[in-house]
Amino acid sequence: MYTFGIDIGSTTSKCVVMEDGQNIVGTSLLVGGIGTRSPELAVSQALENAGVTWDDLTATAATGYGRNRYEGADYNVSELSCHGLGAHHTFPTVRTIIDIGGQDAKVISLDEKGRMNNFLMNDKCAAGTGRFLDVMANILVVPVDEFAQYCEKSVNPAQISSTCTVFAESEVISQLANGVEMEDLIAGICSSVAVRVGNLAKRINIVPDVCMSGGVAQNAGVRNALSRSIGQPILFSPQAQLFGAIGAALYAYQKQVKK
Amino acid sequence: MNKQELLACFHEAVADPRKLMDKYLAEGRKVVLTAPVYTPEEIIHSMGMVPMGVWGADVQINEAKKYFPAFICTIMQSIVELGIKGVYDGASAIVIPSLCDSLKVIGQNWKYAVKGIPFIAMTYPQNRKPAFGHTFTKAGYEYVIRGLEEATGLKFDDEKLAESIEVYNAHNAAMRALVPALAAHSEITCAQRSDIFKSAFFMRKEEHTALVNELLAVLEAEAPAEDKIRIMTSGILADAPGLLEILDDNGMQIVCDDVAAESRQYRTDAPAEGETALDRLASKFCAMDNCSVLYDVEKKRVDKIVSDAKAAKAKGVLVVLTKFCDPEEFDYPLIKRACAEAEIPCVLIEVDRQMVNYEQARTAIETFKDLL
């Protein structure tokens, strides 16, 4: 049985085709989320990668910020539930998931059977999200995916004291003007996100194992800083950004099995 | 009237309170505005006027920003915004209590921002339980009476107040009976439930009591509907249509509440005994409890939320936190902890009077549903 999950985020669209709720047979990840053509293209790409057609799918589920505007799915599920399912599928021992997406951050707590038992979402604020990193990357003219390399070279990470993204932007410009090294500045930026999200996570009882999901999970600079902030190692999967879509495909599978 | 007609009456009052105000004014009645959270409406009623609650509205706030810092309660800001824009024109006065720091500020700003509607302060005591708290409260009410007499030319009569207390106690009883009745009738949506409570601030109490009692009789005669997902709400306000729509979309049913604009208003009656009716009214305030703006070092409110949720068989508690509401923010960690200890899922969503996009709240509520 093939099931399909689509995660339409604020900045990216992700799709997963699963076979029998176990094996991932096709994936796609495109820049561009809600309101763009990316969801449509991501669907085609994932199906092509899996070598199946839409008609081969038994059930589909949509998640993410754009789930309610996507009309092709059989089910709509909140992204927190899907990230929980997807993370547990990848890491069966995981109990705490920290999801940093394009525009928000969430912490999900699972019980030993992988059932969600608590969650927290950040305030409507760009600080502590992928958007914060994007804004800083634009100022520094350094791609976000190179941040980790800079962090490794940092000796004396800069302090970014402003919580607000707008104020932090001014602060980073001031630090650039004062000659702070790029690697220290980038390490400080990653640390700023990590501390903010780490404090959100501390409001929930952090039970190991901990993993990250969402696009920012790819950023080792933030991941390592977050690990230091919460005092726990963080499990990482290259598929972390697909956890929502994996969870959606699993949800669709579970619904079919229950029928 | 049948159920749908009654619900339509409540909705009509909420959809256009100005229409009701114009009707009262056309009938020759004076209207006095009452700001959150607790205002001695009985005094206004006893003087032959119509108290109308002003809890702001979901509007774009522009003019009021001249008078407030950015990070302050938008209920307060929207009240001033509506005042500046003339939405309350024709009102004889506004009574604003001093129950939180934001409320203390609004009165002073109102005097400069809204010239045509006199501001009357109602200063409540922090310590309301000792005898001096009663004396202080009564003195506050006497100040309100003087202000109302000056603003309207009408005179206060303690015997009339005794009659008004009966009207308000009867309304309280009807509103208290409403909560379990609605809990048994899940076909009444969260939005319709909100209409019933909210309309109480705009309609004359006698009329509202009659309609609520009529609805109770209709519900009593009908077989209870099948339960939806039973939740309890807590907060200052939970009346945003966008939020209520999400609750209804997700099959949720509010089976009890700890909302200041809803059940908290009706928990306490003025006692039957007292030297004067004004003493009885002061005793009512002194007896009130279980509210974030009523000082209580023991925070008994937290235990009440848990016990109410259990008694109503609520599967979870939804805390609807008005942004920048300090009293509610102080209580939230205690509520969260108490719910966790009682194994009642509790989720927080933040709202304000300027929300346009409820997607984050939708995600939180959908996840809450999955959790339940």
Side-chain angles (χ1 to χ4, degrees):
Chain A
M1 182 202 306
Y2 291 111
T3 57
F4 186 85
I6 178 166
D7 178 2
I8 307 170
S10 58
T11 54
T12 56
S13 300
K14 289 82 67 178
C15 293
V16 163
V17 183
M18 282 192 105
E19 188 177 12
D20 298 331
Q22 281 296 329
N23 306 318
I24 296 168
V25 294
T27 65
S28 63
L29 195 163
L30 293 181
V31 173
I34 184 170
T36 69
R37 285 194 61 223
S38 289
E40 192 186 325
L41 295 172
V43 171
S44 308
Q45 204 178 93
L47 292 174
E48 194 180 324
N49 289 345
V52 298
T53 66
W54 187 263
D55 292 338
D56 295 325
L57 304 174
T58 307
T60 57
T63 188
Y65 188 54
R67 66 190 177 281
N68 292 310
R69 291 185 62 187
Y70 184 74
E71 292 174 353
D74 300 316
Y75 306 104
N76 272 343
V77 203
S78 100
E79 57 262 41
L80 286 101
S81 303
C82 286
H83 278 276
L85 282 169
H88 184 254
H89 176 81
T90 310
F91 299 118
T93 57
V94 78
R95 300 287 299 277
T96 306
I97 302 145
I98 300 173
D99 168 41
I100 310 182
Q103 68 163 16
D104 61 11
K106 310 173 189 89
V107 185
I108 304 154
S109 176
L110 304 181
D111 67 14
E112 62 281 359
K113 289 182 179 167
R115 291 175 302 209
M116 181 173 55
N117 58 19
N118 207 350
F119 69 94
L120 277 174
M121 297 172 72
N122 73 330
D123 197 1
K124 279 189 290 188
C125 173
T129 72
R131 179 70 64 210
F132 183 89
L133 295 172
D134 289 341
V135 168
M136 298 307 157
N138 281 338
I139 300 168
L140 303 174
V141 200
V142 173
V144 175
D145 53 15
E146 290 179 17
F147 273 22
Q149 297 160 32
Y150 281 90
C151 286
E152 282 174 14
K153 295 178 202 158
S154 170
V155 180
N156 186 21
Q159 290 286 322
I160 311 292
S161 55
S162 302
T163 302
C164 169
T165 305
V166 178
F167 293 153
E169 191 176 350
S170 305
E171 195 176 337
V172 167
I173 291 168
S174 300
Q175 300 224 34
L176 277 173
N178 290 336
V180 175
E181 296 294 334
M182 185 66 79
E183 50 266 31
D184 289 337
L185 205 42
I186 289 175
I189 289 165
C190 290
S191 178
S192 166
V193 172
V195 167
R196 187 164 170 85
V197 179
N199 286 336
L200 179 75
K202 286 171 191 168
R203 284 159 55 186
I204 224 166
N205 187 21
I206 300 174
V207 179
D209 292 342
V210 181
C211 80
M212 274 185 80
S213 66
V216 177
Q218 311 295 336
N219 186 322
V222 174
R223 215 166 57 231
N224 295 335
L226 184 57
S227 177
R228 287 193 297 274
S229 171
I230 63 171
Q232 291 284 345
I234 293 177
L235 301 175
F236 170 67
S237 161
Q239 290 187 320
Q241 205 167 355
L242 295 173
F243 282 176
I246 295 171
L250 277 170
Y251 182 89
Y253 174 77
Q254 289 170 358
K255 280 285 180 186
Q256 286 310 114
V257 170
K258 276 185 188 169
K259 269 187 179 175
Chain B
M1 281 191 278
N2 65 32
K3 187 165 67 185
Q4 291 310 321
E5 288 167 339
L6 286 162
L7 293 171
C9 280
F10 295 122
H11 182 71
E12 194 184 351
V14 170
D16 192 356
R18 180 69 220 195
K19 188 175 162 190
L20 269 181
M21 184 174 169
D22 287 337
K23 175 175 163 274
Y24 300 141
L25 294 173
E27 289 169 354
R29 300 177 198 273
K30 289 183 188 295
V31 170
V32 172
L33 309 176
T34 56
V37 179
Y38 304 108
T39 317
E41 284 194 24
E42 290 92 331
I43 292 172
I44 299 161
H45 183 273
S46 75
M47 294 171 73
M49 298 181 281
V50 182
M52 288 189 80
V54 285
W55 290 65
D58 297 322
V59 292
Q60 181 74 38
I61 297 166
N62 295 319
E63 299 299 319
K65 285 182 177 167
K66 283 192 285 190
Y67 299 93
F68 295 103
F71 302 117
I72 196 167
C73 163
T74 51
I75 300 173
M76 303 299 112
Q77 291 191 60
S78 67
I79 293 170
V80 174
E81 182 78 16
L82 295 173
I84 293 170
K85 288 186 171 160
V87 173
Y88 304 134
D89 283 1
S92 298
I94 183 169
V95 180
I96 304 176
S98 60
L99 287 165
C100 73
D101 288 345
S102 301
L103 281 163
K104 285 170 193 160
V105 171
I106 183 182
Q108 299 310 314
N109 286 326
W110 181 275
K111 286 195 284 193
Y112 291 96
V114 189
K115 296 289 184 194
I117 304 174
F119 154 60
I120 300 169
M122 174 57 222
T123 309
Y124 283 111
Q126 180 98 323
N127 295 290
R128 63 197 179 284
K129 299 295 178 186
F132 61 76
H134 182 279
T135 306
F136 194 105
T137 305
K138 187 178 175 186
Y141 288 165
E142 286 165 346
Y143 179 85
V144 169
I145 290 167
R146 286 195 297 277
L148 288 170
E149 287 181 337
E150 195 179 311
T152 66
L154 297 169
K155 290 292 167 195
F156 172 77
D157 179 337
D158 199 69
E159 285 183 15
K160 293 276 186 197
L161 178 61
E163 292 169 18
S164 294
I165 283 174
E166 298 314 312
V167 170
Y168 273 74
N169 282 357
H171 184 251
N172 289 352
M175 297 304 280
R176 288 195 294 263
L178 188 65
V179 175
L182 294 179
H185 285 271
S186 62
E187 75 278 10
I188 294 184
T189 65
C190 296
Q192 289 168 330
R193 183 186 188 278
S194 172
D195 283 346
I196 303 170
F197 277 96
K198 194 170 179 180
S199 57
F201 288 119
F202 307 137
M203 298 173 82
R204 293 180 63 235
K205 285 294 174 292
E206 298 88 332
E207 291 171 12
H208 198 260
T209 306
L211 286 175
V212 170
N213 282 333
E214 201 174 335
L215 179 65
L216 287 170
V218 171
L219 295 178
E220 176 82 27
E222 286 184 5
E226 197 173 315
D227 276 355
K228 295 181 185 168
I229 300 170
R230 298 169 70 90
I231 61 160
M232 176 180 191
T233 47
S234 176
I236 295 291
L237 273 177
D239 66 351
L243 171 68
L244 297 166
E245 185 186 332
I246 295 169
L247 294 177
D248 286 325
D249 285 349
N250 282 280
M252 294 197 172
Q253 176 194 2
I254 301 168
V255 291
C256 63
D257 74 82
D258 166 60
V259 174
E262 298 177 8
S263 288
R264 282 192 222 168
Q265 294 290 318
Y266 309 110
R267 287 172 178 162
T268 311
D269 287 345
E273 300 298 323
E275 198 173 323
T276 65
L278 199 59
D279 282 297
R280 291 170 59 199
L281 195 62
S283 296
K284 172 187 171 182
F285 177 75
C286 298
M288 288 167 77
D289 270 317
N290 302 312
C291 177
S292 55
V293 298
L294 298 175
Y295 179 66
D296 174 18
V297 71
E298 294 173 27
K299 290 288 178 194
K300 293 186 287 291
R301 171 192 177 213
V302 174
D303 294 331
K304 179 167 173 57
I305 289 171
V306 170
S307 63
D308 282 359
K310 283 182 178 172
K313 297 188 171 64
K315 286 185 175 175
V317 174
L318 178 67
V319 177
V320 184
L321 182 70
T322 299
K323 258 191 180 156
F324 311 123
C325 177
D326 298 347
E328 290 284 309
E329 284 175 350
F330 287 137
D331 284 1
Y332 174 67
L334 304 176
I335 295 169
K336 177 82 179 166
R337 189 166 61 204
C339 286
E341 284 168 3
E343 295 184 340
I344 300 171
C346 171
V347 72
L348 170 95
I349 53 170
E350 276 197 311
V351 294
D352 67 31
R353 281 298 201 194
Q354 292 188 101
M355 272 176 86
V356 178
N357 188 325
Y358 284 85
E359 283 312 306
Q360 197 180 34
R362 183 180 291 278
T363 297
I365 288 166
E366 285 181 2
T367 311
F368 188 45
K369 179 185 170 185
D370 291 343
L371 199 65
L372 299 178

